[in-house]
Coordinates of all heavy atoms in Angstrom, one line a residue:
R1 N 2.7 -38.1 -15.9 CA 2.5 -39.5 -15.7 C 2.1 -39.8 -14.3 O 1.3 -40.7 -14.1 CB 3.8 -40.2 -16.1 CG 3.8 -41.6 -15.9 CD 5.0 -42.2 -16.6 NE 5.4 -43.5 -16.0 CZ 4.9 -44.6 -16.4 NH1 4.1 -44.7 -17.4 NH2 5.3 -45.7 -15.8
I2 N 2.7 -39.1 -13.3 CA 2.3 -39.4 -11.9 C 0.9 -39.1 -11.6 O 0.2 -39.8 -10.9 CB 3.2 -38.6 -11.0 CG1 4.7 -39.0 -11.1 CG2 2.8 -38.7 -9.5 CD1 5.6 -38.2 -10.3
K3 N 0.4 -38.1 -12.3 CA -1.0 -37.7 -12.1 C -2.0 -38.8 -12.5 O -3.0 -39.1 -11.9 CB -1.3 -36.4 -12.9 CG -0.6 -35.2 -12.4 CD -1.1 -33.9 -13.0 CE -0.7 -33.9 -14.4 NZ -0.9 -32.6 -15.1
T4 N -1.7 -39.4 -13.7 CA -2.5 -40.5 -14.1 C -2.4 -41.8 -13.3 O -3.4 -42.5 -13.1 CB -2.3 -40.8 -15.6 OG1 -0.9 -41.2 -15.8 CG2 -2.6 -39.6 -16.5
V5 N -1.2 -42.0 -12.8 CA -1.0 -43.3 -12.0 C -1.7 -43.2 -10.7 O -2.4 -44.1 -10.2 CB 0.5 -43.5 -11.8 CG1 0.7 -44.7 -10.9 CG2 1.1 -43.8 -13.2
F6 N -1.5 -42.0 -10.0 CA -2.1 -41.9 -8.7 C -3.5 -41.2 -8.6 O -4.1 -41.1 -7.6 CB -1.1 -41.1 -7.8 CG 0.1 -41.9 -7.5 CD1 1.3 -41.5 -8.1 CD2 0.1 -43.0 -6.7 CE1 2.5 -42.2 -7.8 CE2 1.3 -43.7 -6.4 CZ 2.5 -43.3 -7.0
G7 N -3.9 -40.7 -9.8 CA -5.2 -40.1 -9.8 C -5.2 -38.6 -9.3 O -6.2 -38.2 -8.8
Y8 N -4.1 -38.0 -9.4 CA -4.0 -36.6 -8.9 C -4.4 -35.6 -10.0 O -4.5 -36.0 -11.1 CB -2.5 -36.2 -8.5 CG -2.0 -36.9 -7.3 CD1 -0.8 -37.5 -7.3 CD2 -2.8 -37.0 -6.1 CE1 -0.3 -38.1 -6.1 CE2 -2.3 -37.6 -5.0 CZ -1.0 -38.2 -5.0 OH -0.5 -38.8 -3.9
Q9 N -4.8 -34.4 -9.5 CA -5.1 -33.4 -10.4 C -4.1 -32.2 -10.2 O -3.3 -32.3 -9.3 CB -6.5 -32.9 -10.2 CG -7.6 -33.9 -10.5 CD -9.0 -33.4 -10.2 OE1 -9.2 -32.2 -9.7 NE2 -10.0 -34.2 -10.5
E10 N -4.2 -31.2 -11.0 CA -3.2 -30.1 -10.9 C -3.3 -29.4 -9.6 O -2.3 -29.0 -9.0 CB -3.5 -29.1 -12.0 CG -3.1 -29.5 -13.4 CD -1.6 -29.7 -13.6 OE1 -0.9 -28.9 -13.0 OE2 -1.2 -30.6 -14.4
L11 N -4.5 -29.2 -9.0 CA -4.7 -28.5 -7.8 C -4.1 -29.3 -6.6 O -3.9 -28.7 -5.5 CB -6.1 -28.2 -7.5 CG -6.7 -27.1 -8.5 CD1 -8.2 -26.9 -8.2 CD2 -5.9 -25.8 -8.4
D12 N -3.9 -30.6 -6.7 CA -3.3 -31.4 -5.7 C -1.8 -31.0 -5.4 O -1.3 -31.3 -4.4 CB -3.4 -32.9 -5.9 CG -4.9 -33.3 -5.9 OD1 -5.7 -32.8 -5.2 OD2 -5.2 -34.3 -6.7
F13 N -1.2 -30.4 -6.4 CA 0.2 -30.1 -6.3 C 0.4 -28.6 -5.9 O 1.5 -28.2 -5.7 CB 0.9 -30.3 -7.7 CG 1.0 -31.8 -8.0 CD1 0.1 -32.3 -9.0 CD2 1.9 -32.6 -7.4 CE1 0.2 -33.6 -9.3 CE2 1.9 -34.0 -7.7 CZ 1.1 -34.5 -8.7
V14 N -0.7 -27.9 -5.8 CA -0.6 -26.5 -5.4 C -0.7 -26.4 -3.9 O -1.6 -26.9 -3.3 CB -1.7 -25.6 -6.1 CG1 -1.6 -24.2 -5.6 CG2 -1.6 -25.7 -7.6
K15 N 0.3 -25.6 -3.3 CA 0.3 -25.4 -1.9 C 0.2 -23.9 -1.6 O 1.0 -23.2 -2.2 CB 1.5 -26.0 -1.2 CG 1.5 -27.5 -1.4 CD 2.6 -28.2 -0.6 CE 2.6 -29.6 -1.0 NZ 2.7 -30.6 0.0
F16 N -0.6 -23.5 -0.7 CA -0.8 -22.1 -0.3 C -0.3 -22.0 1.1 O -0.5 -22.8 2.0 CB -2.2 -21.6 -0.3 CG -2.8 -21.6 -1.7 CD1 -3.6 -22.6 -2.2 CD2 -2.5 -20.5 -2.6 CE1 -4.1 -22.5 -3.5 CE2 -3.0 -20.4 -3.8 CZ -3.8 -21.4 -4.3
K17 N 0.4 -20.9 1.4 CA 0.9 -20.6 2.7 C 0.5 -19.2 3.0 O 0.8 -18.2 2.3 CB 2.4 -20.7 2.8 CG 2.9 -20.5 4.2 CD 4.4 -20.6 4.3 CE 4.9 -20.4 5.7 NZ 6.3 -20.4 5.8
L18 N -0.3 -19.1 4.1 CA -0.8 -17.8 4.5 C 0.0 -17.3 5.7 O 0.1 -18.0 6.8 CB -2.3 -17.9 4.9 CG -3.0 -16.6 5.3 CD1 -3.0 -15.6 4.1 CD2 -4.4 -16.9 5.7
A19 N 0.7 -16.2 5.5 CA 1.5 -15.6 6.6 C 0.9 -14.3 7.1 O 0.5 -13.5 6.3 CB 2.9 -15.4 6.1
G20 N 1.0 -14.1 8.4 CA 0.4 -12.8 8.9 C 1.5 -11.8 9.0 O 2.7 -12.0 8.8
M21 N 1.1 -10.6 9.5 CA 2.1 -9.5 9.7 C 2.7 -9.7 11.1 O 2.0 -10.0 12.1 CB 1.3 -8.2 9.7 CG 2.2 -7.0 9.8 SD 1.3 -5.5 9.9 CE 0.6 -5.3 8.3
P22 N 4.0 -9.6 11.2 CA 4.7 -9.8 12.4 C 4.3 -8.7 13.4 O 3.8 -7.6 13.1 CB 6.2 -9.6 12.1 CG 6.3 -9.8 10.6 CD 5.0 -9.4 10.1
L23 N 4.4 -9.0 14.7 CA 4.0 -8.1 15.8 C 4.7 -6.8 15.7 O 4.2 -5.7 16.0 CB 4.1 -8.8 17.1 CG 3.6 -8.0 18.3 CD1 2.2 -7.7 18.2 CD2 3.9 -8.7 19.6
T24 N 6.0 -6.9 15.4 CA 6.8 -5.6 15.3 C 6.3 -4.7 14.2 O 6.3 -3.5 14.4 CB 8.3 -5.9 15.1 OG1 8.4 -6.7 13.9 CG2 8.9 -6.7 16.3
W25 N 5.8 -5.2 13.1 CA 5.3 -4.4 12.1 C 3.9 -3.8 12.5 O 3.6 -2.6 12.2 CB 5.1 -5.2 10.8 CG 6.3 -5.3 10.0 CD1 7.1 -6.4 10.0 CD2 6.8 -4.4 9.1 NE1 8.2 -6.2 9.1 CE2 8.0 -4.9 8.6 CE3 6.4 -3.1 8.7 CZ2 8.8 -4.3 7.6 CZ3 7.2 -2.5 7.7 CH2 8.4 -3.0 7.2
K26 N 3.1 -4.5 13.2 CA 1.9 -4.0 13.7 C 2.1 -2.9 14.7 O 1.4 -1.8 14.6 CB 1.1 -5.1 14.4 CG 0.6 -6.2 13.5 CD -0.1 -7.3 14.2 CE -0.5 -8.4 13.3 NZ -1.2 -9.5 14.1
I27 N 3.0 -3.0 15.6 CA 3.3 -2.0 16.6 C 3.9 -0.8 15.9 O 3.5 0.4 16.2 CB 4.3 -2.5 17.7 CG1 3.6 -3.6 18.5 CG2 4.8 -1.4 18.5 CD1 4.5 -4.3 19.5
S28 N 4.8 -1.0 14.9 CA 5.4 0.2 14.2 C 4.4 0.9 13.4 O 4.4 2.1 13.3 CB 6.6 -0.2 13.4 OG 6.2 -1.1 12.3
N29 N 3.4 0.2 12.8 CA 2.3 0.9 12.1 C 1.5 1.7 13.0 O 1.1 2.8 12.6 CB 1.5 -0.2 11.3 CG 2.1 -0.6 10.0 OD1 2.9 0.1 9.5 ND2 1.7 -1.8 9.6
W30 N 1.1 1.2 14.2 CA 0.3 1.9 15.1 C 1.1 3.2 15.6 O 0.5 4.3 15.6 CB 0.0 1.1 16.3 CG -1.3 0.3 16.2 CD1 -1.5 -0.9 15.8 CD2 -2.6 0.9 16.4 NE1 -2.8 -1.2 15.7 CE2 -3.5 -0.1 16.1 CE3 -3.0 2.1 16.9 CZ2 -4.9 0.1 16.3 CZ3 -4.4 2.3 17.0 CH2 -5.3 1.3 16.7
V31 N 2.4 3.0 15.9 CA 3.1 4.1 16.5 C 3.4 5.2 15.4 O 3.3 6.4 15.7 CB 4.4 3.6 17.1 CG1 5.4 4.7 17.5 CG2 4.1 2.8 18.3
C32 N 3.8 4.8 14.2 CA 4.3 5.7 13.2 C 3.2 6.2 12.3 O 3.3 7.3 11.6 CB 5.4 5.1 12.3 SG 6.8 4.7 13.3
I33 N 2.1 5.5 12.1 CA 1.0 5.9 11.2 C -0.3 6.2 11.8 O -0.8 7.3 11.7 CB 0.9 4.8 10.1 CG1 2.1 4.6 9.3 CG2 -0.3 5.1 9.2 CD1 2.1 3.4 8.4
I34 N -0.8 5.3 12.5 CA -2.2 5.4 13.0 C -2.3 6.5 14.1 O -3.2 7.3 14.1 CB -2.8 4.1 13.4 CG1 -2.8 3.2 12.2 CG2 -4.1 4.2 14.1 CD1 -3.2 1.7 12.5
V35 N -1.5 6.4 15.1 CA -1.6 7.3 16.3 C -1.3 8.8 15.8 O -2.1 9.6 16.2 CB -0.6 6.9 17.4 CG1 -0.5 7.9 18.5 CG2 -1.0 5.6 18.0
P36 N -0.3 9.1 15.0 CA -0.1 10.5 14.6 C -1.3 11.0 13.8 O -1.7 12.1 13.9 CB 1.2 10.5 13.8 CG 1.9 9.3 14.3 CD 0.9 8.3 14.7
K37 N -1.8 10.1 12.9 CA -3.0 10.5 12.1 C -4.2 10.8 12.9 O -4.9 11.8 12.7 CB -3.3 9.4 11.1 CG -4.4 9.8 10.1 CD -4.5 8.7 9.1 CE -5.6 9.1 8.1 NZ -5.8 8.1 7.0
L38 N -4.5 10.0 14.0 CA -5.6 10.3 14.8 C -5.4 11.5 15.7 O -6.3 12.3 15.9 CB -5.8 9.1 15.8 CG -6.4 7.8 15.1 CD1 -6.4 6.7 16.1 CD2 -7.8 8.1 14.6
L39 N -4.1 11.8 16.1 CA -3.9 13.0 16.9 C -4.0 14.2 16.0 O -4.6 15.2 16.5 CB -2.4 13.0 17.4 CG -2.2 12.0 18.6 CD1 -0.8 12.0 19.0 CD2 -3.1 12.5 19.8
I40 N -3.6 14.2 14.8 CA -3.7 15.3 13.9 C -5.2 15.6 13.6 O -5.7 16.7 13.6 CB -2.9 15.1 12.6 CG1 -1.4 15.2 12.9 CG2 -3.3 16.1 11.5 CD1 -0.5 14.8 11.7
W41 N -6.0 14.5 13.3 CA -7.4 14.6 13.1 C -8.1 15.2 14.3 O -8.9 16.1 14.1 CB -8.0 13.3 12.7 CG -9.4 13.4 12.3 CD1 -9.9 13.6 11.0 CD2 -10.5 13.3 13.1 NE1 -11.3 13.6 11.1 CE2 -11.7 13.4 12.4 CE3 -10.7 13.1 14.5 CZ2 -13.0 13.4 12.9 CZ3 -12.0 13.0 15.0 CH2 -13.1 13.2 14.2
W42 N -7.8 14.7 15.4 CA -8.5 15.2 16.7 C -8.2 16.6 16.9 O -9.1 17.4 17.3 CB -8.1 14.3 17.9 CG -8.7 14.7 19.1 CD1 -10.0 14.5 19.5 CD2 -8.1 15.4 20.2 NE1 -10.2 15.0 20.7 CE2 -9.1 15.6 21.2 CE3 -6.8 15.9 20.4 CZ2 -8.8 16.3 22.4 CZ3 -6.6 16.6 21.6 CH2 -7.6 16.8 22.6
M43 N -6.9 17.0 16.8 CA -6.5 18.4 17.0 C -7.1 19.4 16.0 O -7.6 20.5 16.4 CB -5.0 18.6 17.1 CG -4.3 17.9 18.3 SD -2.6 17.9 18.2 CE -2.2 19.6 18.3
T44 N -7.2 18.9 14.8 CA -7.8 19.8 13.7 C -9.3 19.9 14.0 O -9.9 21.0 13.8 CB -7.6 19.1 12.3 OG1 -6.2 18.9 12.1 CG2 -8.2 20.0 11.2
A45 N -10.0 18.8 14.4 CA -11.4 18.9 14.7 C -11.7 19.8 15.9 O -12.6 20.6 15.9 CB -12.0 17.5 14.9
R46 N -10.8 19.7 16.9 CA -11.0 20.5 18.1 C -10.8 22.0 17.8 O -11.6 22.8 18.2 CB -10.0 20.1 19.2 CG -10.2 20.7 20.5 CD -9.3 20.1 21.5 NE -9.1 21.1 22.6 CZ -7.9 21.4 23.1 NH1 -6.8 20.8 22.7 NH2 -7.8 22.3 24.0
V47 N -9.8 22.4 17.1 CA -9.5 23.8 16.8 C -10.6 24.3 15.8 O -11.1 25.4 15.9 CB -8.1 23.9 16.1 CG1 -7.9 25.3 15.5 CG2 -7.1 23.6 17.2
G48 N -11.1 23.4 14.9 CA -12.1 23.8 13.9 C -13.4 24.1 14.6 O -14.1 25.0 14.3
V49 N -13.8 23.2 15.6 CA -15.0 23.5 16.4 C -14.9 24.8 17.2 O -15.9 25.5 17.2 CB -15.3 22.3 17.3 CG1 -16.4 22.6 18.3 CG2 -15.7 21.1 16.4
E50 N -13.8 25.0 17.8 CA -13.6 26.3 18.5 C -13.7 27.5 17.6 O -14.3 28.5 17.9 CB -12.2 26.3 19.2 CG -12.2 25.4 20.4 CD -10.8 25.4 21.1 OE1 -10.0 26.3 20.8 OE2 -10.6 24.5 21.9
F51 N -13.2 27.3 16.4 CA -13.3 28.4 15.4 C -14.7 28.6 15.0 O -15.2 29.7 14.8 CB -12.4 28.0 14.1 CG -12.6 28.9 13.0 CD1 -12.1 30.2 13.0 CD2 -13.3 28.5 11.8 CE1 -12.3 31.1 11.9 CE2 -13.5 29.3 10.8 CZ -13.0 30.6 10.8
L52 N -15.5 27.5 14.8 CA -16.9 27.6 14.4 C -17.7 28.3 15.5 O -18.7 29.0 15.2 CB -17.5 26.3 14.0 CG -16.9 25.6 12.7 CD1 -17.5 24.2 12.6 CD2 -17.3 26.5 11.5
M53 N -17.4 28.0 16.7 CA -18.1 28.6 17.8 C -17.9 30.1 17.9 O -18.8 30.8 18.5 CB -17.7 28.0 19.2 CG -18.0 26.5 19.2 SD -19.8 26.1 19.0 CE -20.4 26.6 20.6
Q54 N -16.9 30.7 17.3 CA -16.6 32.1 17.4 C -17.2 32.8 16.2 O -17.2 34.1 16.2 CB -15.1 32.3 17.4 CG -14.4 31.8 18.7 CD -12.9 32.0 18.7 OE1 -12.4 32.5 17.7 NE2 -12.3 31.5 19.7
L55 N -17.8 32.2 15.2 CA -18.3 32.8 14.1 C -19.7 33.4 14.4 O -20.5 32.8 15.2 CB -18.5 31.8 12.9 CG -17.2 31.3 12.3 CD1 -17.4 30.3 11.2 CD2 -16.3 32.4 11.8
A56 N -20.0 34.6 13.9 CA -21.2 35.3 14.3 C -22.4 34.9 13.5 O -23.5 34.5 14.0 CB -21.0 36.8 14.2
G57 N -22.3 35.0 12.2 CA -23.5 34.9 11.3 C -23.6 33.5 10.8 O -22.7 32.7 10.8
I58 N -24.9 33.2 10.3 CA -25.1 31.8 9.8 C -24.4 31.6 8.5 O -24.0 30.5 8.2 CB -26.7 31.6 9.6 CG1 -27.0 30.2 9.3 CG2 -27.2 32.5 8.6 CD1 -26.8 29.2 10.4
D59 N -24.2 32.6 7.7 CA -23.4 32.5 6.5 C -22.0 32.1 6.8 O -21.5 31.2 6.1 CB -23.5 33.8 5.7 CG -24.9 34.2 5.2 OD1 -25.7 33.3 5.2 OD2 -25.1 35.4 5.0
D60 N -21.4 32.8 7.7 CA -20.0 32.4 8.1 C -19.9 31.0 8.7 O -18.9 30.3 8.4 CB -19.5 33.4 9.1 CG -19.3 34.8 8.5 OD1 -19.1 34.9 7.3 OD2 -19.4 35.8 9.3
T61 N -20.9 30.6 9.4 CA -20.9 29.3 10.0 C -21.0 28.2 8.9 O -20.3 27.2 9.0 CB -22.1 29.1 11.0 OG1 -22.0 30.2 12.0 CG2 -22.0 27.8 11.7
I62 N -21.9 28.4 8.0 CA -22.0 27.4 6.9 C -20.7 27.3 6.1 O -20.3 26.2 5.8 CB -23.2 27.8 6.0 CG1 -24.5 27.6 6.8 CG2 -23.2 26.9 4.7 CD1 -25.7 28.1 6.0
I63 N -20.1 28.4 5.8 CA -18.8 28.4 5.0 C -17.7 27.7 5.9 O -16.9 27.0 5.4 CB -18.4 29.8 4.6 CG1 -19.4 30.3 3.6 CG2 -17.0 29.9 4.1 CD1 -19.3 31.8 3.2
G64 N -17.7 28.0 7.2 CA -16.7 27.4 8.1 C -16.9 25.9 8.2 O -15.9 25.2 8.2
V65 N -18.1 25.5 8.3 CA -18.4 24.0 8.4 C -18.0 23.3 7.1 O -17.4 22.3 7.1 CB -19.9 23.8 8.7 CG1 -20.2 22.3 8.5 CG2 -20.2 24.2 10.1
T66 N -18.2 23.9 6.0 CA -17.8 23.4 4.7 C -16.3 23.3 4.6 O -15.8 22.3 4.2 CB -18.4 24.2 3.5 OG1 -19.8 24.3 3.7 CG2 -18.1 23.6 2.2
A67 N -15.6 24.3 5.0 CA -14.2 24.3 5.0 C -13.6 23.3 6.0 O -12.6 22.6 5.6 CB -13.6 25.7 5.4
L68 N -14.2 23.2 7.2 CA -13.7 22.2 8.1 C -13.9 20.8 7.6 O -13.0 19.9 7.8 CB -14.4 22.4 9.5 CG -13.9 21.5 10.6 CD1 -12.5 21.6 10.9 CD2 -14.8 21.7 11.8
T69 N -15.0 20.5 7.0 CA -15.3 19.2 6.5 C -14.3 18.8 5.4 O -13.8 17.7 5.3 CB -16.8 19.1 5.9 OG1 -17.7 19.4 7.0 CG2 -17.1 17.7 5.4
F70 N -14.0 19.8 4.5 CA -13.0 19.6 3.5 C -11.7 19.3 4.0 O -11.0 18.4 3.6 CB -13.0 20.8 2.5 CG -11.9 20.7 1.5 CD1 -12.1 19.9 0.4 CD2 -10.7 21.4 1.6 CE1 -11.1 19.8 -0.6 CE2 -9.7 21.3 0.7 CZ -9.9 20.5 -0.4
I71 N -11.3 20.0 5.0 CA -9.9 19.8 5.6 C -9.9 18.4 6.3 O -8.9 17.7 6.1 CB -9.6 20.9 6.6 CG1 -9.4 22.2 5.9 CG2 -8.4 20.6 7.5 CD1 -9.2 23.4 6.8
L72 N -10.9 18.0 7.0 CA -10.9 16.7 7.7 C -10.9 15.6 6.7 O -10.5 14.5 7.0 CB -12.0 16.6 8.7 CG -11.9 17.5 9.9 CD1 -13.1 17.4 10.8 CD2 -10.6 17.2 10.7
N73 N -11.5 15.8 5.5 CA -11.6 14.7 4.5 C -10.5 14.8 3.4 O -10.6 14.0 2.5 CB -13.0 14.7 3.9 CG -14.0 14.2 4.8 OD1 -13.8 13.4 5.7 ND2 -15.2 14.8 4.7
L74 N -9.6 15.7 3.6 CA -8.6 15.9 2.6 C -7.7 14.7 2.3 O -7.4 14.4 1.2 CB -7.7 17.1 2.9 CG -6.8 17.7 1.9 CD1 -7.6 18.1 0.7 CD2 -6.0 18.8 2.4
D75 N -7.3 14.0 3.4 CA -6.5 12.8 3.2 C -7.2 11.7 2.4 O -6.6 11.0 1.6 CB -6.0 12.3 4.6 CG -7.1 11.8 5.5 OD1 -8.3 12.3 5.3 OD2 -6.9 11.0 6.3
E76 N -8.5 11.6 2.6 CA -9.2 10.6 1.9 C -9.4 11.0 0.4 O -9.3 10.1 -0.5 CB -10.6 10.3 2.5 CG -10.5 9.7 3.9 CD -11.9 9.7 4.5 OE1 -12.9 9.9 3.8 OE2 -11.9 9.4 5.8
L77 N -9.5 12.3 0.2 CA -9.6 12.7 -1.2 C -8.3 12.5 -2.0 O -8.3 12.2 -3.1 CB -10.0 14.2 -1.2 CG -11.4 14.5 -0.8 CD1 -11.6 16.1 -0.7 CD2 -12.4 13.9 -1.7
V78 N -7.2 12.7 -1.3 CA -5.9 12.5 -1.9 C -5.6 11.1 -2.3 O -5.1 10.8 -3.4 CB -4.7 13.0 -1.0 CG1 -3.4 12.6 -1.5 CG2 -4.8 14.5 -0.8
F79 N -6.0 10.1 -1.5 CA -5.8 8.7 -1.8 C -6.8 8.1 -2.7 O -6.7 6.9 -3.0 CB -5.6 8.0 -0.5 CG -4.3 8.3 0.2 CD1 -4.3 9.0 1.4 CD2 -3.1 8.0 -0.4 CE1 -3.1 9.3 2.0 CE2 -1.9 8.3 0.2 CZ -1.9 9.0 1.4
Q80 N -7.9 8.8 -3.1 CA -8.8 8.1 -4.0 C -8.5 8.3 -5.4 O -7.9 9.0 -6.0 CB -10.2 8.8 -3.7 CG -10.9 8.2 -2.5 CD -12.3 8.8 -2.3 OE1 -12.7 9.6 -3.0 NE2 -12.9 8.3 -1.3

């Protein structure tokens, strides 16, 4: 009845509130998730490149590059 008297529609009664992530959650995500993941990725890539530099033949290098690419993309494969 109020809608017809005042000319309101259903969407006039709907209210949205957008809340962001608190700063403490952002900091804890960086410290506990992002920084360790980046460190592990960087160390794996560094050791993998050193390993690839020690390989003698082109066949071993191609197999090593394929293995290193698989290892570095393993986390993305798990979550897909």
Side-chain angles (χ1 to χ4, degrees):
R1 174 168 158 92
I2 293 176
K3 292 188 289 187
T4 57
V5 172
F6 293 108
Y8 290 135
Q9 295 179 356
E10 289 291 327
L11 292 178
D12 294 328
F13 295 103
V14 176
K15 297 191 187 224
F16 292 101
K17 183 178 179 183
L18 183 64
M21 183 185 293
L23 183 62
T24 54
W25 278 97
K26 291 177 186 178
I27 292 171
S28 65
N29 279 337
W30 268 96
V31 170
C32 297
I33 297 171
I34 296 173
V35 171
K37 185 174 180 176
L38 288 174
L39 285 173
I40 290 171
W41 184 89
W42 180 74
M43 291 174 66
T44 305
R46 185 172 158 228
V47 170
V49 167
E50 288 178 13
F51 172 72
L52 290 175
M53 296 301 285
Q54 294 176 1
L55 295 176
I58 189 72
D59 297 336
D60 293 333
T61 305
I62 293 172
I63 292 172
V65 167
T66 306
L68 181 61
T69 303
F70 176 76
I71 290 172
L72 290 176
N73 291 327
L74 191 60
D75 63 334
E76 295 174 12
L77 291 173
V78 169
F79 289 112
Q80 283 183 352

